[in-house]
Amino acid sequence: MKPRILEVRTKILKKNDELARAMRERFAEAGVFVVNVVSSPGAGKTELLTRLLADLGRDHKAVAVVGDLATEHDADRLAQSGCEARQILTGTMCHLEADMVEKAIEGWDLDAIDVLFIENVGNLVCPQGFDLGEDLRLLLFPVTEGEDKPLKYPTLINTCDAVAISKTDLAVAAEFDIETARANTERARPGVAMFETSAKTGAGADALAGYLRERVAAKRVAAIGEHETVG
Amino acid sequence: MKPRILEVRTKILKKNDELARAMRERFAEAGVFVVNVVSSPGAGKTELLTRLLADLGRDHKAVAVVGDLATEHDADRLAQSGCEARQILTGTMCHLEADMVEKAIEGWDLDAIDVLFIENVGNLVCPQGFDLGEDLRLLLFPVTEGEDKPLKYPTLINTCDAVAISKTDLAVAAEFDIETARANTERARPGVAMFETSAKTGAGADALAGYLRERVAAKRVAAIGEHETVG
């Protein structure tokens, strides 16, 4: 039985990879920078993302889609940033797949969009293998989870481009040692970009927004360059 | 393709269910009370479990197995309770399955054991469908995840017998409203047993240990009754 399960799993992943690749091409042509935000449940993705949307939304067309098993709270919360947000309900599915994102962004004029944030389902394992066509995978690692999480759950962090240590306002109460956490993160994913953020106080959100702003600009320059070469 | 995936998933679940049923019979014959502890990563399962093991271990033979993707820290931490604990390494697997538990408890004399705690992989979705032969499924819901989690992640909580709101020592710092959390928990899983615990201060751990102690005793009485009927 095991070989057959593996075969089916491989097929699901392959199908997802093919669609994600096609979406990445569409995003590149349209000049949309895409961020896949992953973490455990309750790590503060929605709250931090609302701040990032409001910040980038000042001079970019930024939008978001958000995946949850149930409830539509999070799209409403994200929309408080002033940016458009759509909910994806996954039912019992523990991660987002490329076809769910493709369906959720239907009808949006990608040429008019600069940044698309995808807030994944809260899960520190399963989103790992599912490419969503993103340019950047951002992992939130809240101080309330303890310093050891990058070592205990290496699978997802190993695929991330940036890590935001979140809820730093609770670091003292949670007796969280930021230096140990940074060292464990670096050990699990050498060279990964790291930020220390609190969505509650706003601390560090501007540094993360600045980093994203630079990445968005770099993609736009690359897209224009390619367009001129083609033209 | 979808029907084939469903078919394979159904087969995996069916195979797990059959093994879990056989294990439940073995546990019943030996008079072992089994608790499956589930939650998101970093909810404080290991720390609370260490307290429960130390408490129940005073007058019971209590043991534990713990699942993690990587590292063996948690079995070492649990063993500080004075009870025996074994690590299950799941690699990239996002939940425990019955065969992993069966393998982990090999060599233990079940007749001599009163309570077996199974600490699942930190994941608020995937452990849902995988019966481990347990008598009781205990979900930890930390105050740092926010009051809305029972509504946003109903899948796993819908299969739980008891919920321990954990890390209550951080409730004020996290601005967590316990009454809203209790109401949301009751809404997601009417009638579920609820406890408020802090593994750090020890608050509420004795009430939860007392509840488990009663359940263990009830199972032992049932096992003796059955034995006498058979004899």
Side-chain angles (χ1 to χ4, degrees), chain B residues 8-25:
Chain B
V8 172
R9 188 175 151 77
T10 306
K11 274 196 183 173
I12 297 172
L13 284 171
K14 195 179 162 214
K15 196 183 154 198
N16 186 81
D17 278 347
E18 283 166 3
L19 178 56
R21 201 175 308 136
M23 284 165 66
R24 185 169 281 112
E25 279 171 25

Side-chain angles (χ1 to χ4, degrees), chain A residues 103-163:
Chain A
K103 208 176 154 196
I105 63 171
E106 251 174 34
W108 269 341
D109 175 13
L110 292 185
D111 286 323
I113 293 174
D114 302 307
V115 193
L116 165 66
F117 286 99
I118 304 168
E119 185 184 329
N120 220 308
V121 175
N123 189 319
L124 204 51
V125 187
C126 311
Q128 179 266 334
F130 292 89
D131 183 5
L132 304 179
E134 71 263 27
D135 296 285
L136 186 122
R137 194 173 283 193
L138 170 66
L139 181 134
L140 264 63
F141 167 22
V143 302
T144 48
E145 279 182 14
E147 301 86 355
D148 59 352
K149 288 303 161 294
L151 304 180
K152 287 175 67 181
Y153 295 81
T155 322
L156 186 55
I157 202 170
N158 277 344
T159 67
C160 285
D161 307 291
V163 171

Side-chain angles (χ1 to χ4, degrees), chain A residues 149-184:
Chain A
K149 288 303 161 294
L151 304 180
K152 287 175 67 181
Y153 295 81
T155 322
L156 186 55
I157 202 170
N158 277 344
T159 67
C160 285
D161 307 291
V163 171
I165 297 176
S166 64
K167 303 199 180 185
T168 53
D169 54 286
L170 292 175
V172 173
E175 298 178 9
F176 183 83
D177 179 10
I178 295 245
E179 289 317 309
T180 303
R182 293 186 75 108
N184 287 346

Side-chain angles (χ1 to χ4, degrees), chain A residues 1 4 7 11 40-42 68-69 71 74 94 122-123 126 144 149 151-153 155 167 170 173 175 200, chain B residues 1 4 7 11 40-42 68-69 71 74 94 122 126 144 149 151-153 155 167 170 173 175 200:
Chain A
M1 179 133 181
R4 188 157 165 225
E7 185 199 325
K11 275 196 185 172
S40 302
D68 275 302
L69 272 66
T71 77
D74 283 0
C94 54
N123 189 319
C126 311
T144 48
K149 288 303 161 294
L151 304 180
K152 287 175 67 181
Y153 295 81
T155 322
K167 303 199 180 185
L170 292 175
E175 298 178 9
K200 192 169 155 193
Chain B
M1 178 134 182
R4 188 157 167 227
E7 184 200 325
K11 274 196 183 173
S40 301
D68 275 302
L69 272 67
T71 78
D74 283 359
C94 54
C126 310
T144 48
K149 288 303 160 296
L151 304 180
K152 288 174 66 180
Y153 295 80
T155 322
K167 302 198 181 188
L170 291 175
E175 297 178 11
K200 193 170 152 191

Side-chain angles (χ1 to χ4, degrees), chain B residues 136-149:
Chain B
L136 186 123
R137 195 173 281 195
L138 169 67
L139 181 133
L140 264 64
F141 166 23
V143 302
T144 48
E145 279 181 15
E147 302 86 355
D148 60 351
K149 288 303 160 296

Side-chain angles (χ1 to χ4, degrees), chain A:
Chain A
M1 179 133 181
K2 288 278 176 192
R4 188 157 165 225
I5 297 168
L6 269 177
E7 185 199 325
V8 172
R9 187 174 151 77
T10 306
K11 275 196 185 172
I12 297 172
L13 284 171
K14 195 179 163 215
K15 197 183 154 198
N16 185 80
D17 277 348
E18 282 167 3
L19 178 57
R21 201 175 308 134
M23 284 165 66
R24 184 169 281 110
E25 279 173 24
R26 269 181 73 196
F27 292 141
E29 277 167 26
V32 184
F33 187 79
V34 182
V35 186
N36 181 2
V37 186
V38 296
S39 79
S40 302
K45 289 188 294 302
T46 310
E47 206 170 345
L48 185 62
L49 209 41
T50 305
R51 281 193 181 269
L52 295 175
L53 282 166
D55 187 318
L56 288 160
R58 290 202 313 265
D59 47 5
H60 293 80
K61 168 84 173 169
V63 296
V65 296
V66 50
D68 275 302
L69 272 66
T71 77
E72 310 220 339
H73 299 163
D74 283 0
D76 296 342
R77 288 170 62 200
L78 290 172
Q80 287 171 8
S81 66
C83 298
E84 207 178 334
R86 292 182 180 173
Q87 186 77 44
I88 302 174
L89 290 182
T90 66
T92 58
M93 186 74 103
C94 54
H95 60 271
L96 288 179
E97 298 189 4
D99 61 347
M100 301 177 193
V101 175
E102 186 188 39
K103 208 176 154 196
I105 63 171
E106 251 174 34
W108 269 341
D109 175 13
L110 292 185
D111 286 323
I113 293 174
D114 302 307
V115 193
L116 165 66
F117 286 99
I118 304 168
E119 185 184 329
N120 220 308
V121 175
N123 189 319
L124 204 51
V125 187
C126 311
Q128 179 266 334
F130 292 89
D131 183 5
L132 304 179
E134 71 263 27
D135 296 285
L136 186 122
R137 194 173 283 193
L138 170 66
L139 181 134
L140 264 63
F141 167 22
V143 302
T144 48
E145 279 182 14
E147 301 86 355
D148 59 352
K149 288 303 161 294
L151 304 180
K152 287 175 67 181
Y153 295 81
T155 322
L156 186 55
I157 202 170
N158 277 344
T159 67
C160 285
D161 307 291
V163 171
I165 297 176
S166 64
K167 303 199 180 185
T168 53
D169 54 286
L170 292 175
V172 173
E175 298 178 9
F176 183 83
D177 179 10
I178 295 245
E179 289 317 309
T180 303
R182 293 186 75 108
N184 287 346
T185 303
E186 173 68 23
R187 201 170 134 202
R189 181 67 163 166
V192 73
M194 263 186 263
F195 300 87
E196 296 174 15
T197 61
S198 162
K200 192 169 155 193
T201 67
D206 50 346
L208 179 53
Y211 166 78
L212 294 174
R213 205 174 282 276
E214 279 176 25
R215 296 288 308 263
V216 172
K219 180 157 188 183
R220 197 184 284 169
V221 168
I224 293 168
E226 199 158 300
H227 188 73
E228 282 175 351
T229 311
V230 174

